[in-house]
Amino acid sequence: MAARLQAYSLHEATGRYHVSQWARNFTFGTFYMFTIHIDFPHAPALFVMVQQLIVQSGIPVLILLLLAECMLFFKDSLPWSESRDYVKQRAYLDALLYTTILIQS
């Protein structure tokens, strides 16, 4: 993360969306579900306390991660002012490709 912050601004280093980031939400959700269903009948008190901490705080953490991921997705996919040029460029390239296909047909 430190190298990424040196190479990019804080906004570019931490505020970029990639579809693979959804795997993190899946991983934490899976960890939470397994933690809920693990039975520690003869476990030390420390294990039971950690399990209870994860179970009690898991839902808010998962919701916050989901909201953060949704914000990154919408920030990247909707035509906000910072990405408006990208949307215009993509529309131009799509039109150019469509025109090229029509000419070749």
Side-chain angles (χ1 to χ4, degrees):
M1 182 67 154
R4 188 166 172 84
L5 284 172
Q6 288 176 350
Y8 303 102
S9 68
L10 179 65
H11 173 71
E12 290 176 345
T14 60
R16 290 291 173 211
Y17 170 78
H18 191 271
V19 70
S20 66
Q21 293 168 339
W22 288 100
R24 185 176 347 190
N25 292 337
F26 174 78
T27 303
F28 283 128
T30 304
F31 171 71
Y32 179 73
M33 290 305 297
F34 280 122
T35 303
I36 285 175
H37 295 291
I38 289 177
D39 187 23
F40 286 127
H42 303 293
L46 178 63
F47 287 142
V48 175
M49 286 177 20
V50 169
Q51 181 186 25
Q52 289 303 314
L53 177 69
I54 292 170
V55 168
Q56 291 173 359
S57 62
I59 294 293
V61 169
L62 289 172
I63 290 173
L64 286 174
L65 288 172
L66 181 64
L67 288 174
E69 196 63 42
C70 287
M71 286 190 312
L72 286 175
F73 170 74
F74 287 122
K75 185 181 82 64
D76 191 58
S77 63
L78 294 177
W80 306 107
S81 61
E82 64 196 21
S83 64
R84 193 168 292 147
D85 292 336
Y86 174 73
V87 171
K88 287 179 185 177
Q89 180 184 12
R90 195 166 68 188
Y92 171 75
L93 291 175
D94 287 346
L96 185 64
L97 178 64
Y98 180 72
T99 305
T100 306
I101 291 171
L102 285 178
I103 292 172
Q104 291 177 355
S105 302

